[in-house]
Amino acid sequence: LDLTVWGTLTVSSNSTINVNGMGYLAGRMWPNTTTNASTGKTSGSYGGLGYTYTGYVTANPVYGDFRNPNEPGSGGSSGSGGGLIRLVANVLELNGAIRANGTDGSYGRGSGGGIYLDVGRLAGGGVIEAKGGTCTYDGGGGGGGRIAIYYNDVEGFDISNRVSAAAGAAGSAGTIYTKHQ
């Protein structure tokens, strides 16, 4: 999702911008995203490493730029990666959620996706997430995604507690980059 808003974008408390599981499909790991590259019990990586079950193939590498997320998340052996959101707005009034999470899977989970925000003012009490998928049967989770937030003003939005690039169980957290302009 690539969106530019020249005014105010309001995401109400019962709304979400959601690209969960809309990244690279299950079995498609970066850099080999066109054929099945994930085998066994491997979870996807993006900003953080996905878990690899002992005795199976090694995890795919982390990739991308923490300052400029421009790729979706990788799929694990059974879960898809989070998608990519690039949003530019004069004002973002976020009371709902912006999510680019990886999906859960029975073995390999998808990694979190990418979120890039460039806003004049960020306000509200919502959440921003690019989390790795969690385990539904065996093994560990997908790696966290990448989030970059550029802003001129933060009006009541708690970046330190409302932004997450967490990993699923036993995966590694992704990256969160914030810059006051």
Side-chain angles (χ1 to χ4, degrees):
L1 173 65
D2 193 348
L3 181 63
T4 299
V5 177
W6 297 112
T8 300
L9 174 63
T10 301
V11 181
S12 63
S13 61
N14 60 351
S15 299
T16 184
I17 297 174
N18 183 336
V19 295
N20 291 346
M22 294 184 186
Y24 295 123
L25 300 175
R28 313 295 183 169
M29 293 184 160
W30 184 91
N32 187 8
T33 58
T34 58
T35 60
N36 274 345
S38 173
T39 58
K41 298 179 181 180
T42 300
S43 293
S45 299
Y46 182 21
L49 283 174
Y51 176 79
T52 299
Y53 191 76
T54 304
Y56 286 84
V57 297
T58 58
N60 58 315
V62 297
Y63 59 96
D65 183 348
F66 69 94
R67 293 164 298 189
N68 184 24
N70 59 3
E71 293 252 16
S74 285
S77 53
S78 66
S80 297
L84 174 64
I85 297 171
R86 294 184 63 85
L87 173 64
V88 177
N90 288 340
V91 177
L92 174 56
E93 180 71 38
L94 180 61
N95 288 303
I98 295 176
R99 292 190 171 113
N101 298 327
T103 60
D104 301 341
S106 56
Y107 290 102
R109 274 60 57 200
S111 75
I115 299 174
Y116 172 90
L117 302 177
D118 186 346
V119 296
R121 184 173 52 124
L122 177 58
V127 297
I128 301 168
E129 300 175 344
K131 298 178 181 179
T134 59
C135 175
T136 59
Y137 176 68
D138 190 17
R146 293 195 185 277
I147 300 172
I149 303 171
Y150 294 84
Y151 62 92
N152 291 329
D153 181 35
V154 175
E155 186 178 299
F157 189 87
D158 186 356
I159 289 176
S160 61
N161 290 313
R162 298 210 168 266
V163 180
S164 176
S172 298
T175 61
I176 298 171
Y177 177 77
T178 60
K179 182 169 181 166
H180 180 266
Q181 302 185 89

